[in-house]
Amino acid sequence: MEPAQEIFDVIRAGDKARLEALLAADPALVNVHNELGHSAVLIAQYHHKHDLVAVLLAAGPALDVFDAASVGRTDRVAALLDADPALVNAYSRDGFFALGLAAFFGHPETVRLLLARGADVTQVARNPMRIQALHAAVAGRSREAVHLVVEAGAPINAQQHKGWTALHEVVHQENVELTRYFVARGADPKVQNDEGKSAIGLAAEQGNAAILKVRKGQG
């Protein structure tokens, strides 16, 4: 197998030693992309291989705006936006966008920069997931990113893949604090997903008394 192809299998397998060996033999491999246009850095992020991300970043890759947003390289994002402001709402080849990536991977400083540069907080992924920045922040369990996008005007009841709202997700996570936060900001616990389940129904199924109390104004 060619090293340029092998590197992605190595990353998915979490083989740090082999990755280091490949990069030592050919440092240019740090900038290879797969057939879908994903960089090695982004694949390592998608697979939550944090130690491999560190190895790749140490090798000095040429990060694009999506790579940089995903790893929280805020200075790099700023430089790229200085050169091309349109990148702030650009889509990657897999249909995601910089604000969603920064929110999902828990980089509030990058989120803050993107919002300041005009990132559209209502932007929807151009893929079946249909996520917005709020869904990404909730899925990534980044409370600060959640607060930033909500305060920037993220639609609180927006629905993503399978009709899930952010409130559905925080209830699923049994996160009482964020449930309280969303309800206080107008999240509707009666909105149903594609399976006909509301956030309040989900809480009842889970038997989560604390979240049910929030819904009733008692928590």
Side-chain angles (χ1 to χ4, degrees):
M1 181 183 296
E2 290 295 322
Q5 298 173 329
E6 181 186 359
I7 191 169
F8 293 101
D9 291 335
V10 166
I11 289 169
R12 293 185 184 94
D15 190 340
K16 182 180 178 182
R18 180 57 181 161
L19 177 61
E20 290 174 332
L22 286 170
L23 292 174
D26 184 359
L29 286 174
V30 75
N31 288 317
V32 299
H33 289 70
N34 66 14
E35 67 280 1
L36 297 177
H38 297 131
S39 70
V41 168
L42 198 56
I43 289 296
Q45 276 292 75
Y46 281 170
H47 287 269
H48 302 284
K49 306 296 186 182
H50 304 301
D51 55 340
L52 274 62
V53 171
V55 170
L56 291 163
L57 292 178
L63 302 175
D64 67 17
V65 71
F66 310 110
D67 299 332
S70 77
V71 298
R73 289 287 179 91
T74 307
D75 289 349
R76 174 64 175 166
V77 173
L80 290 166
L81 294 180
D82 287 343
D84 184 0
L87 289 174
V88 73
N89 291 314
Y91 285 95
S92 65
R93 285 183 60 180
D94 56 6
F96 292 115
F97 48 95
L99 182 61
L101 290 166
F104 178 74
F105 288 110
H107 302 301
E109 288 305 315
T110 309
V111 169
R112 189 174 285 109
L113 170 78
L114 288 162
L115 291 171
R117 294 295 188 94
D120 180 3
V121 79
T122 69
Q123 189 171 9
V124 180
R126 289 178 176 169
N127 57 44
M129 293 185 71
R130 304 200 317 271
I131 64 161
Q132 296 185 21
L134 180 57
H135 303 127
V138 169
R141 300 176 187 248
S142 173
R143 182 177 60 182
E144 189 173 357
V146 168
H147 289 183
L148 284 168
V149 296
V150 169
E151 299 306 322
I156 204 78
N157 291 307
Q159 293 175 279
Q160 63 170 105
H161 180 56
K162 295 186 178 180
W164 277 53
T165 65
L167 184 59
H168 276 101
E169 180 61 25
V170 296
V171 168
H172 177 70
Q173 294 174 5
E174 301 192 55
N175 188 322
V176 177
E177 179 184 354
L178 279 182
T179 298
R180 185 179 296 114
Y181 176 81
F182 281 126
V183 169
R185 282 156 180 79
D188 185 350
K190 296 181 181 179
V191 172
Q192 296 183 345
N193 63 20
D194 292 355
E195 296 178 349
K197 292 182 181 179
S198 65
I200 190 67
L202 187 59
E205 283 184 5
Q206 294 173 332
N208 194 313
I211 287 179
L212 288 169
K213 284 182 179 180
V214 171
R215 169 65 186 93
K216 296 175 181 178
Q218 299 171 353

